[in-house]
Amino acid sequence: MPSTATPSLSLVRSVTKLANSCYLRCHSLVSHIGGFIVYSSEIFYHALHKPLRVYETIQQMEFVGYQSMMIISVAAYFTGAVFSLQVGEVISIFDAQSLIGAITCDALANALAPIITGFLVAGRIGSSMTAEIVSMKSKEQIDALKVMGVHPISYLVIPRVFACLFTVPCLTVFFFLFGSIGAFTVSTFVFFVDAGLFLEYAILKVNWDDISLMLGKSLVVGWTVGTLSCYFGLRAKTGNHGIGQATVLSVATTFIMIMILDSLITFIETIIL
Amino acid sequence: MIAFQFKNVSKSFQNLSVLKDLSFRIAKGELSYIIGRSGEGKSVSLRMMVGLLRPDSGEILFEGDDFLQFSSKELTKFRKSVGVLFQHSALFDSLSVFDNIVFPKKEHSQRLWKTDARWLRAEAENILEIIGLKGTMDSMPQDLSVGERHRVALGRALITKPAILFYDEPTTGLDPIYAKKIDELIIQTKEKDPNLTAVVVSHDIHAAMRYGDHIIMLKNGSTYFQGAPDEFQNSTDTYIKQFLGGHWF
């Protein structure tokens, strides 16, 4: 008799465990969505109210923008170079190497620059913002802010979100320029395309619509990195484990959100507009 | 006049009940000590008094008003009139001693112009003299010892001239010399402003007996004793005697 009862019992246990795990994950997801809506509304409220955090925002802009320029320029140069190398190999079959500049610059403006800049900023700056806020939480510094009558969203989140909003578009333009230089190097020195022809086709293909789309995407990316990094920092459990967990969750969620939002904007721009 | 009154306050964290029907009062202008063993809910009570935690049930009255019904504006106004010294100082690592001390002053002012910088520096210098840390204005918190950081945190709490000062285990983790200095500062602050209401959460029964006007002892999340230090010392209760002897179970 027990031989028939045991497998069914273990099956029930497994199903119950699975159902419980699904419930907890759904609960956590709903709680995060609700929490993020409230948090976003608080950001809007504090962004429109005094005090203006000009000094703190400039400090954060230096951290987000200036300190990321090196990594952005190196990553952009090699992205542009490798991309044009791949493209050049294919289009040289059709003897159309002169189009390398147009294809690479178009890809950089429409997709690569905002996404890769977003990934780099999320990985380098977003993770650091999350870790800093969790560390502040562990050391009771956020409680100290509250008891001094200072709202943590106003003091910690607003400068970081604004810094990301202002600097990510600049970094994206920077990425686009350095990526184009990478593509230009490969195009002229590997595929021997005339420099003037490279520029002519690139300028012909990349117009103001592409640039404004790139800037629009980068604004969304900046908002996503700034808000999510601070959100996961404020929601995290304290302690060393909490810092690690929050940082991983923050970076992973930001990456996914950047991809989803980028696809959505591209879809709207291509299909609807 | 009563500053704070707790009426049957209870609080649980998940399944752990920390406060059970806790009731006590804190009079205005008094130096009150909340004492008890670790985990009895002393810090939780203090966090409730500054609005960082809300009870599951019960009432908290501040000067007769329902503290739990305060709007966010009222709570901010209340918080601007109090100072808190946290257990781990809670100084901002990225700010210098000067910036840490003047932080609440800067935040509470609507607008500070360049000319105010001199005035702020003079205020900070005055505070640093009171806390005995003259010359550390431009140091960073990580360059200071734990005791010094505690004193800077006290300076930050004092700069707004608060009506109520809360100390969360101010001497925990300090050597006896630094602990004595902090105790002396608590007394000095109280003596300078007799109207100041001070609430100290502490394990240090001897400091409570020596300096306190009122002692509240917690046991199992409830009030075990409430009264003057003499009553506490003369109590015949076994638990209190063990606590006084330093060998409670």
Side-chain angles (χ1 to χ4, degrees):
Chain A
M1 289 299 271
S3 58
T4 53
T6 314
S8 61
L9 195 67
S10 81
L11 183 71
V12 169
R13 274 189 190 145
S14 303
V15 171
T16 314
K17 208 175 164 185
L18 186 72
N20 190 38
S21 161
C22 286
Y23 167 76
L24 288 175
R25 277 178 187 272
C26 288
H27 184 272
S28 164
L29 184 70
V30 171
S31 144
H32 272 300
I33 292 169
F36 191 75
I37 292 169
V38 173
Y39 163 80
S40 301
S41 63
E42 281 185 323
I43 291 177
F44 281 115
Y45 175 82
H46 287 285
L48 300 172
H49 287 78
K50 275 187 177 178
L52 294 170
R53 303 275 176 193
V54 179
Y55 177 70
E56 289 87 354
T57 306
I58 292 170
Q59 256 188 334
Q60 289 299 324
M61 280 170 73
E62 193 266 340
F63 174 57
V64 181
Y66 180 69
Q67 290 186 26
S68 305
M69 280 167 83
M70 188 65 193
I71 190 171
I72 293 282
S73 52
V74 172
Y77 182 84
F78 287 104
T79 305
V82 171
F83 191 84
S84 56
L85 207 60
Q86 296 289 327
V87 168
E89 256 186 18
V90 177
I91 62 171
S92 57
I93 298 168
F94 310 103
D95 203 20
Q97 293 95 316
S98 53
L99 292 174
I100 291 175
I103 297 170
T104 310
C105 291
D106 188 55
L108 279 170
N110 286 304
L112 296 174
I115 289 184
I116 301 178
T117 306
F119 284 177
L120 290 171
V121 174
R124 188 187 173 276
I125 305 295
S127 57
S128 150
M129 282 179 181
T130 308
E132 190 185 358
I133 292 175
V134 186
S135 163
M136 286 183 79
K137 205 175 169 185
S138 304
K139 293 176 185 169
E140 295 179 313
Q141 291 172 13
I142 292 183
D143 286 340
L145 278 176
K146 287 180 188 167
V147 296
M148 283 189 274
V150 181
H151 203 292
I153 299 259
S154 164
Y155 185 73
L156 296 173
V157 180
I158 296 291
R160 284 166 174 79
V161 171
F162 272 92
C164 287
L165 269 178
F166 294 142
T167 49
V168 171
C170 300
L171 290 172
T172 308
V173 171
F174 206 68
F175 190 100
F176 172 72
L177 292 175
F178 270 83
S180 304
I181 293 169
F184 179 81
T185 317
V186 169
S187 177
T188 45
F189 294 106
V190 179
F191 294 102
F192 306 108
V193 175
D194 180 64
L197 212 58
F198 176 94
L199 284 173
E200 194 187 328
Y201 282 129
I203 292 166
L204 200 72
K205 180 68 192 84
V206 181
N207 52 32
W208 284 113
D209 286 347
D210 297 310
I211 301 293
S212 53
L213 177 70
M214 179 178 79
L215 292 176
K217 278 185 178 180
S218 64
L219 274 173
V220 174
V221 166
W223 168 263
T224 310
V225 174
T227 50
L228 285 176
S229 308
C230 297
Y231 172 76
F232 284 106
L234 289 172
R235 284 273 300 220
K237 285 176 186 156
T238 52
N240 292 339
H241 182 62
I243 294 179
Q245 218 175 24
T247 312
V248 169
L249 201 60
S250 156
V251 174
T253 313
T254 310
F255 276 23
I256 293 167
M257 284 313 291
I258 288 173
M259 294 297 283
I260 292 172
L261 292 170
D262 181 79
S263 310
L264 203 68
I265 295 169
T266 310
F267 176 77
I268 292 168
E269 196 266 342
T270 319
I271 312 290
I272 301 172
L273 296 178
Chain B
M1 194 182 172
I2 293 170
F4 268 104
Q5 190 164 12
F6 273 50
K7 285 183 178 175
N8 308 105
V9 169
S10 299
K11 178 78 184 170
S12 300
F13 293 100
Q14 283 156 354
N15 295 325
L16 183 72
S17 176
V18 180
L19 300 182
K20 294 166 209 152
D21 284 331
L22 178 70
S23 299
F24 64 79
R25 59 150 195 89
I26 283 161
K28 241 183 165 178
E30 272 190 357
L31 173 54
S32 304
Y33 273 81
I34 302 177
I35 56 168
R37 295 187 307 182
S38 298
E40 299 284 19
K42 305 183 295 293
S43 294
V44 171
S45 318
L46 187 136
R47 294 171 87 79
M48 283 182 180
M49 281 186 252
V50 289
L52 288 174
L53 283 175
R54 286 180 74 84
D56 298 332
S57 62
E59 262 187 291
I60 300 175
L61 302 177
F62 171 65
E63 294 181 352
D65 296 326
D66 191 348
F67 185 64
L68 301 173
Q69 297 300 319
F70 273 23
S71 65
S72 62
K73 268 190 180 173
E74 285 172 319
L75 193 60
T76 306
K77 195 182 163 197
F78 162 78
R79 281 170 171 173
K80 284 179 180 176
S81 70
V82 304
V84 182
L85 174 61
F86 283 92
Q87 195 175 349
H88 303 292
S89 315
L91 293 177
F92 303 118
D93 305 327
S94 56
L95 303 180
S96 67
V97 167
F98 166 73
D99 288 321
N100 264 294
I101 287 180
V102 300
F103 185 85
K105 202 91 182 170
K106 270 186 178 173
E107 285 297 322
H108 297 176
S109 311
Q110 283 296 309
R111 189 172 276 182
L112 283 167
W113 298 99
K114 271 187 179 175
T115 46
D116 294 321
R118 240 175 292 153
W119 166 72
L120 276 177
R121 227 171 156 81
E123 284 266 301
E125 264 170 14
N126 182 34
I127 290 287
L128 284 172
E129 199 171 337
I130 294 171
I131 59 173
L133 284 175
K134 234 180 158 186
T136 55
M137 188 96 92
D138 299 315
S139 307
M140 296 305 282
Q142 53 269 31
D143 300 331
L144 304 176
S145 68
V146 181
E148 286 170 335
R149 264 182 267 164
H150 263 61
R151 283 193 274 165
V152 173
L154 180 59
R156 182 177 67 181
L158 289 175
I159 199 161
T160 52
K161 297 181 178 67
I164 308 175
L165 253 176
F166 296 96
Y167 303 87
D168 189 5
E169 307 203 6
T171 54
T172 304
L174 298 183
D175 63 59
I177 298 165
Y178 269 129
K180 201 179 168 216
K181 273 185 183 168
I182 294 283
D183 282 335
E184 282 169 0
L185 278 170
I186 295 172
I187 301 309
Q188 266 178 38
T189 317
K190 183 74 190 85
E191 280 171 356
K192 269 191 177 172
D193 181 4
N195 294 324
L196 177 82
T197 307
V199 182
V200 187
V201 161
S202 179
H203 287 110
D204 189 352
I205 181 65
H206 301 292
M209 300 280 291
R210 206 173 307 145
Y211 311 121
D213 297 316
H214 188 73
I215 293 178
I216 297 153
M217 186 184 191
L218 305 189
K219 189 188 175 193
N220 299 329
S222 304
T223 315
Y224 191 76
F225 171 88
Q226 183 171 198
D230 314 346
E231 288 174 51
F232 190 78
Q233 188 150 30
N234 299 328
S235 170
T236 52
D237 185 89
T238 328
Y239 183 73
I240 294 177
K241 277 188 169 175
Q242 277 167 346
F243 201 93
L244 279 167
H247 36 80
W248 58 84
F249 46 85

